[in-house]
Amino acid sequence: MTLKNTLSKENLRSIAVLGSPFVPLDYLLLFVFTAKTTRIQLYLPKETPQGLVELRKKELQKLQASRPKGEWHLWDRIYDYDVYNNLGDPKNGRLYDRPVLGGSTKFPYPRRLKMGHPNCQHDHSRESGPASCFQFYVPPDERMSDEKLQELKNNFVEALIRFLAPESTLPHLSDRECPDFVTKVAHFFVPKAAISKKDVRFIRSIIDFCRKLKLPSSHGGPSRSVSDPSEEQDIFEDIIGFYADKEVEELDDSDKQRLEKLVPKEILNQVVATLALKRQHVSAQLPSIVAEDKFAWAEDKEFGRQMLAGTNPVRIRHLKREELLPLYEVFYKMWNYESPEDKPEVQLDNKINQSQLQNLKKVLQGKKHKQPQLLDVYLAVVNERAFILDHHYLEQFLTMINGKGVCAYATRTILIATGSSSATLQPVGIELSLPGDSPRLVLPQDTLLWEFAKFHVASNDAAYHQLVSHWLHTHAVVEPFIIATRRRLSVMHPIHRLLDPHFKDTLHINALARAIFLNAGGILETLLFTGEYSMELSSHLYKEWRFDKQALPEDLLERGMAKLRVRDEVVSGPMEQVERDKSSNKAATGAEQKMFEVDAEVELVLEDYPYAKDGIEIWTAIETWVTGYCNVFYLNDNDVKEDEEIQEWWNEIKTRGHEDRKEGWYDINTFESLVKALTTLIWITSGLHAAVNFGQYGYGGWPPNRPMLLRKFLPNEEDINEENILKFVEEMLPDKFQMKLAIAVMDLLSRHTSNEVYLGQTSPQKERQLIEDHESIIQKKFKEFRENLEAIERNIKERNKEYNLMNRWGFAKIPYKLLYPDTSKPMPPISKEKRKHQPEKKDINERGIPNSISI
């Protein structure tokens, strides 16, 4: 038997070897209290060897027992639930007071891991925080390695230096669309050795002169004009300068003071020490959204495409026939731009009949339209090709939110798709609401107002993404599942082994998030327009959450983005062939392509919906793997019902971990329901989290594309014109400190760490041997899972070659690879020496699906 202590800074304190003389040595279970157990056999509870039955029960009872008050040691294995009573800091005044989330109908929330800190002296319902955000209790099996924690710290320090440290010299920046543009052009004409710095400066002066000319916008965005050297620089050029190659010096005092309130003291001290040592040369990769074209993000169709393939592709939904009123309002306001006197008499309600539609059609066909979108909107009504991005829930919070430099609306965006299956989404109307006022409807024909309205939609969506799609629907909802798994499923349980890789580092990451990002006055409250009401808003939207709707097929059906596929029989063949994608002929050629059955239960309403298209394939591969794995241990539904640990596990998740949500739970009494629940959980921790996290720098790293707050309401039409538009945009966007900090945070969150383990890399028995009868079967099933992921990679590559699939590329030329499994990515290094030879963390472009929520 081999023992290994995986915690580098802790000593082995005690070992207990328990068993029975009647049980072979191979069946003994070893518990090491400060290290992970090794060589554990897997059994369902009823199949446990007699000598281990009592030991199995005692170990779980120990984890479930309530702990007395007092100091918790780093080697203690304590798993218990608590409410979110540690976000506020009321001792610093009312501004830092936050409601307790969880345990009430007003503020429901998933439970978190109990940390063992003493209660606040003046409020015993609140937990006090640790002395340092890096010094809190996390059970030893959940703590990330020292190397990874240091890597995260270094990444944060580097990002803050890169974007917040001021430039040490003041030459005019060259055009940052290409960092070496001037030098490369010069070297094209003459040998490199013949070019001097003086020559480069001369060429730059010519470029600077050209940039002072008034240039019309060719990309649908605001005009770029610097007609006089004395005028303020274009705000977009200013932001481009954030990513420049430059030398930086020590932080400005004002920025340093603001950072002191936001980032851990340990991080800020490292930033200050690094900058004090010497002037740092820094460079940054341009966010993907502006890497090819600085103004592609401003295109209407790119705006719509990001709802299908951006950082938040999980909110868009189909506009139901019974709620078409907003679309009719768009249609009639658009008609007013056409010819108000010819507007047909139709009641603005949701009961428009067929004869009225026919009359509209005749009128439309008999006119030569000034507004070409008018017919498109009509066809969207007829063909039910309308969609909505709804952030109207914000209205009840706006009275509290607006003020202190924040100007926010509750928005609803109406989009339409043409008849083709690969249609892009065209936004045709934005409704902006404020409490007590009539909604304001803005159309693309409103030109400048339309551009400003899109900023407000993007800001709403950015807040929803951070607080709900990303934090709540992945990090927060998974935490109770982890706690319940440790408390209720023995390490000998096969489902514990299946889920364990998908829980790696999550509890530690969540604790860090609560201490740095979600806390009162923390980073998210500073960056998001929702401010101090951010987590309260997240709690409000938890009231809508259902676990069963986080299964990808059910989510798509619920949002009307898919419909049930009617099939006479299950088709066996390459995944692309079943999904009928145009690129299938290329993806499925060759005998080496993977063949397997696909559960084609849903059909996408928009075939070119990259998140859903790739996601359904990943979902199917996970479901196939989970089914095969569970088949090894469960022979029928009765085995599931009689599994006391699984039943207690599921009951504890519902009654303690998610106590505030009574609806949306499967009844785990059949094999099928168990597979569905496990597949959903693994999908959340892997595919869903990858889709909403790793594109943050690519899209949100350019603040105008995803502004987290806005400082101006829409102006009156007569108050804005092309001469003052850039000044208004600058006053509308966040201040430069907020934008730079947001970019640094996006940079940090989008990076994969060097020790990450990715989907399909390690099977559950790779490190610990299984029962011999099971090992070869599970090896085979996991090999099929990996091969299926490799087939999906080929499919995604082929789809990303299809330029007619506009939603996979868009105007910004960004191939969709947030759900690219990347099975070829190397495994984490075993030794520190090997780690030194890992590829440098240069490309942070959203590639690879980690097993777990580990960043």
Side-chain angles (χ1 to χ4, degrees):
M1 229 176 253
T2 303
L3 303 181
K4 181 181 179 182
N5 180 17
T6 62
L7 302 176
S8 58
K9 290 187 176 180
E10 296 172 22
N11 297 320
L12 197 64
R13 294 180 62 86
S14 59
I15 298 176
V17 180
L18 303 175
S20 165
F22 306 106
V23 180
L25 182 62
D26 284 346
Y27 286 150
L28 289 180
L29 183 63
L30 176 69
F31 285 100
V32 181
F33 293 107
T34 61
K36 297 181 180 179
T37 56
T38 62
R39 204 171 176 83
I40 301 172
Q41 305 291 348
L42 301 183
Y43 311 98
L44 293 180
K46 66 180 182 180
E47 297 169 351
T48 310
Q50 190 60 40
L52 297 178
V53 170
E54 194 61 29
L55 180 61
R56 181 171 184 154
K57 289 181 179 179
K58 282 184 177 180
E59 176 63 10
L60 288 176
Q61 288 169 358
K62 183 196 304 183
L63 291 173
Q64 296 160 16
S66 57
R67 298 299 174 121
K69 292 182 180 179
E71 183 182 0
W72 290 7
H73 300 100
L74 291 177
W75 54 82
D76 287 331
R77 298 174 66 230
I78 302 173
Y79 292 90
D80 204 354
Y81 303 93
D82 208 345
V83 294
Y84 279 63
N85 60 356
N86 61 344
L87 298 178
D89 189 12
K91 70 176 184 293
N92 284 333
R94 192 207 66 80
L95 290 178
Y96 292 89
D97 192 13
R98 299 293 180 269
V100 173
L101 304 184
S104 67
T105 54
K106 186 177 181 181
F107 298 117
Y109 219 62
R111 298 301 186 265
R112 65 172 178 90
L113 177 73
K114 192 173 184 66
M115 308 292 286
H117 300 301
N119 292 333
C120 295
Q121 292 183 357
H122 62 288
D123 185 350
H124 292 287
S125 67
R126 308 298 181 100
E127 182 182 271
S128 62
S132 163
C133 73
F134 296 108
Q135 295 174 358
F136 44 69
Y137 173 80
V138 180
D141 288 353
E142 314 302 330
R143 288 204 294 273
M144 66 181 70
S145 67
D146 294 340
E147 292 81 8
K148 176 174 178 175
L149 184 59
Q150 189 58 52
E151 184 178 356
L152 287 177
K153 291 178 182 178
N154 291 342
N155 285 346
F156 200 7
V157 168
E158 290 169 10
L160 291 172
I161 290 174
R162 187 179 301 120
F163 295 109
L164 281 152
E167 196 172 359
S168 59
T169 56
L170 300 174
H172 199 299
L173 296 171
S174 62
D175 192 340
R176 289 295 304 141
E177 287 185 24
C178 178
D180 306 313
F181 178 73
V182 173
T183 308
K184 287 182 177 179
V185 170
H187 291 173
F188 180 80
F189 293 103
V190 296
K192 184 175 181 179
I195 294 292
S196 67
K197 291 184 179 179
K198 183 178 179 181
D199 296 325
V200 172
R201 285 197 298 270
F202 174 71
I203 298 172
R204 281 181 177 164
S205 67
I206 296 174
I207 293 175
D208 291 343
F209 174 78
C210 294
R211 291 173 65 203
K212 293 173 185 176
L213 302 177
K214 186 173 183 179
L215 301 176
S217 172
S218 59
H219 304 287
S223 297
R224 287 154 283 173
S225 170
V226 186
S227 55
D228 188 285
S230 64
E231 291 185 12
E232 291 185 20
Q233 189 177 355
D234 184 332
I235 179 60
F236 300 112
E237 292 293 335
D238 253 3
I239 298 172
I240 283 288
F242 297 168
Y243 311 91
D245 289 339
K246 57 194 173 187
E247 285 189 344
V248 293
E249 55 189 18
E250 295 183 24
L251 292 171
D252 294 333
D253 287 341
S254 60
D255 288 352
K256 185 177 177 181
Q257 289 173 7
R258 294 177 76 172
L259 281 176
E260 283 175 348
K261 300 177 181 179
L262 296 172
V263 304
K265 186 175 182 181
E266 180 179 338
I267 297 294
L268 183 58
N269 288 344
Q270 192 173 337
V271 170
V272 172
T274 303
L275 290 171
L277 189 62
K278 64 176 182 178
R279 293 203 318 193
Q280 300 288 311
H281 182 271
V282 299
S283 62
Q285 177 182 331
L286 277 173
S288 304
I289 193 67
V290 290
E292 291 285 337
D293 184 336
K294 283 191 295 183
F295 285 90
W297 57 274
E299 288 282 355
D300 283 357
K301 287 190 175 180
E302 174 61 30
F303 175 81
R305 183 196 76 88
Q306 289 184 36
M307 299 175 192
L308 301 173
T311 54
N312 191 34
V314 295
R315 183 66 182 172
I316 187 77
R317 65 176 176 84
H318 189 261
L319 193 63
K320 300 172 185 176
R321 193 168 185 82
E322 62 269 19
E323 56 178 9
L324 286 175
L325 183 58
L327 185 58
Y328 293 151
E329 291 175 341
V330 168
F331 181 84
Y332 284 106
K333 183 172 181 182
M334 197 174 287
W335 195 291
N336 282 332
Y337 279 94
E338 182 76 26
S339 47
E341 66 280 359
D342 294 337
K343 187 164 66 173
E345 294 295 330
V346 178
Q347 292 297 320
L348 285 180
D349 57 33
N350 291 324
K351 298 177 181 178
I352 188 167
N353 59 45
Q354 198 64 33
S355 63
Q356 290 173 323
L357 286 176
Q358 290 299 325
N359 291 336
L360 281 176
K361 184 177 181 181
K362 290 177 183 177
V363 174
L364 289 167
Q365 289 177 338
K367 288 177 64 69
K368 184 177 181 181
H369 302 289
K370 302 172 190 173
Q371 306 297 333
Q373 283 187 340
L374 198 57
L375 186 58
D376 292 339
V377 174
Y378 164 77
L379 292 174
V381 174
V382 175
N383 299 322
E384 298 186 28
R385 301 281 285 175
F387 302 83
I388 184 170
L389 185 73
D390 191 351
H391 292 297
H392 198 260
Y393 56 85
L394 281 166
E395 188 171 20
Q396 61 185 291
F397 290 88
L398 292 181
T399 302
M400 299 181 292
I401 288 172
N402 282 331
K404 300 180 181 178
V406 172
C407 299
Y409 294 97
T411 63
R412 285 193 289 202
T413 307
I414 306 299
L415 306 100
I416 61 173
T418 60
S420 73
S421 62
S422 60
T424 54
L425 289 183
Q426 176 74 35
V428 294
I430 296 173
E431 179 190 272
L432 304 104
S433 301
L434 289 171
D437 289 346
S438 298
R440 184 175 182 179
L441 180 62
V442 181
L443 303 185
Q445 289 81 354
D446 295 319
T447 320
L448 296 177
L449 293 181
W450 173 252
E451 299 298 329
F452 298 146
K454 287 195 298 181
F455 277 127
H456 280 281
V457 174
S459 181
N460 280 186
D461 203 54
Y464 183 91
H465 165 257
Q466 292 295 348
L467 297 173
V468 181
S469 301
H470 183 203
W471 167 255
L472 176 62
H473 285 177
T474 63
H475 288 260
V477 301
V478 165
E479 186 155 347
F481 285 88
I482 302 174
I483 301 169
T485 300
R486 306 312 189 202
R487 288 166 51 88
R488 292 294 178 178
L489 296 183
S490 165
V491 290
M492 286 187 282
H493 199 291
I495 301 306
H496 186 292
R497 179 72 62 82
L498 174 70
L499 293 176
D500 188 60
H502 303 287
F503 296 157
K504 176 179 179 286
D505 297 341
T506 302
L507 293 185
H508 200 166
I509 282 291
N510 284 5
L512 285 170
R514 288 189 291 268
I516 303 173
F517 290 94
L518 305 172
N519 57 313
I523 288 175
L524 277 190
E525 288 194 358
T526 300
L527 297 180
L528 294 177
F529 73 88
T530 46
E532 64 184 274
Y533 302 100
S534 296
M535 291 300 287
E536 188 175 328
L537 176 63
S538 179
S539 167
H540 173 73
L541 290 166
Y542 177 61
K543 296 173 184 177
E544 303 173 358
W545 178 82
R546 293 172 57 107
F547 178 74
D548 58 355
K549 298 303 181 187
Q550 285 209 263
L552 180 58
E554 278 70 20
D555 168 55
L556 296 172
L557 291 169
E558 178 75 8
R559 292 189 284 120
M561 301 305 291
K563 53 188 177 182
L564 287 172
R565 184 190 294 275
V566 179
R567 303 185 66 86
D568 296 330
E569 58 182 353
V570 177
V571 177
S572 179
M575 190 173 294
E576 281 305 285
Q577 191 173 6
V578 172
E579 293 293 335
R580 300 178 184 276
D581 189 271
K582 180 177 178 181
S583 62
S584 62
N585 293 332
K586 296 180 183 178
T589 55
E592 75 283 357
Q593 298 296 316
K594 177 63 186 161
M595 309 286 285
F596 65 103
E597 284 193 350
V598 174
D599 179 7
E601 59 180 305
V602 297
E603 180 179 359
L604 298 181
V605 170
L606 293 173
E607 194 66 16
D608 187 16
Y609 183 178
Y611 162 74
K613 186 73 173 178
D614 298 357
I616 282 293
E617 296 184 359
I618 298 293
W619 167 274
T620 304
I622 294 171
E623 188 175 42
T624 303
W625 154 240
V626 171
T627 302
Y629 181 88
C630 290
N631 262 326
V632 174
F633 301 95
Y634 297 95
L635 302 181
N636 49 50
D637 292 344
N638 206 47
D639 284 348
V640 176
K641 292 178 185 176
E642 293 178 355
D643 187 339
E644 59 189 48
E645 287 187 10
I646 279 290
Q647 297 303 325
E648 291 169 358
W649 170 73
W650 191 244
N651 183 62
E652 181 163 296
I653 289 166
K654 294 188 296 181
T655 60
R656 292 198 62 189
H658 284 279
E659 181 181 346
D660 302 334
R661 291 297 298 138
K662 306 301 182 185
E663 300 176 347
W665 300 101
Y666 303 113
D667 291 324
I668 305 294
N669 51 20
T670 64
F671 179 85
E672 182 182 3
S673 61
L674 176 63
V675 168
K676 195 77 166 182
L678 295 174
T679 304
T680 302
L681 184 53
I682 293 173
W683 161 253
I684 294 170
T685 62
S686 57
L688 177 60
H689 180 259
V692 298
N693 181 72
F694 290 105
Q696 291 192 80
Y697 183 79
Y699 290 94
W702 177 248
N705 185 55
R706 304 281 293 176
M708 292 189 177
L709 65 82
L710 294 171
R711 300 181 292 168
K712 288 278 190 179
F713 290 115
L714 260 65
N716 296 319
E717 287 188 76
E718 61 271 15
D719 295 336
I720 197 73
N721 53 59
E722 292 205 8
E723 282 68 38
N724 62 4
I725 182 175
L726 289 176
K727 185 175 187 300
F728 186 87
V729 170
E730 183 172 7
E731 294 173 350
M732 187 183 205
L733 291 173
D735 66 43
K736 289 184 180 179
F737 174 86
Q738 290 170 318
M739 285 195 284
K740 289 177 179 180
L741 180 60
I743 297 169
V745 171
M746 298 300 98
D747 180 287
L748 171 68
L749 297 179
S750 298
R751 290 187 182 274
H752 297 281
T753 53
S754 58
N755 73 341
E756 192 60 84
V757 181
Y758 295 86
L759 199 63
Q761 278 193 337
T762 55
S763 63
Q765 84 290 354
K766 177 153 184 159
E767 295 179 358
R768 306 180 184 112
Q769 182 180 345
L770 298 168
I771 299 173
E772 290 183 6
D773 293 343
H774 296 162
E775 183 169 7
S776 60
I777 301 174
I778 291 182
Q779 289 272 22
K780 180 182 177 182
K781 294 295 182 184
F782 190 81
K783 183 173 181 288
E784 290 175 357
F785 176 46
R786 183 179 177 87
E787 289 171 350
N788 291 344
L789 292 176
E790 290 170 353
I792 292 169
E793 289 182 5
R794 292 192 291 270
N795 296 337
I796 293 174
K797 283 181 179 179
E798 290 301 321
R799 281 197 289 270
N800 282 344
K801 293 177 184 176
E802 297 289 336
Y803 288 95
N804 62 319
L805 299 177
M806 279 299 295
N807 293 325
R808 299 200 75 85
W809 283 89
F811 289 86
K813 306 295 189 298
I814 307 173
Y816 189 75
K817 50 187 179 179
L818 289 171
L819 287 174
Y820 184 86
D822 201 11
T823 55
S824 63
K825 192 178 284 290
M827 281 288 292
I830 297 172
S831 68
K832 291 184 178 180
E833 285 301 312
K834 289 186 179 180
R835 181 174 292 110
K836 292 179 181 177
H837 298 92
Q838 283 291 310
E840 187 179 357
K841 306 183 298 295
K842 185 176 181 181
D843 184 6
I844 59 172
N845 273 340
E846 325 95 23
R847 191 166 177 176
I849 301 177
N851 265 332
S852 63
I853 302 168
S854 56
I855 181 64

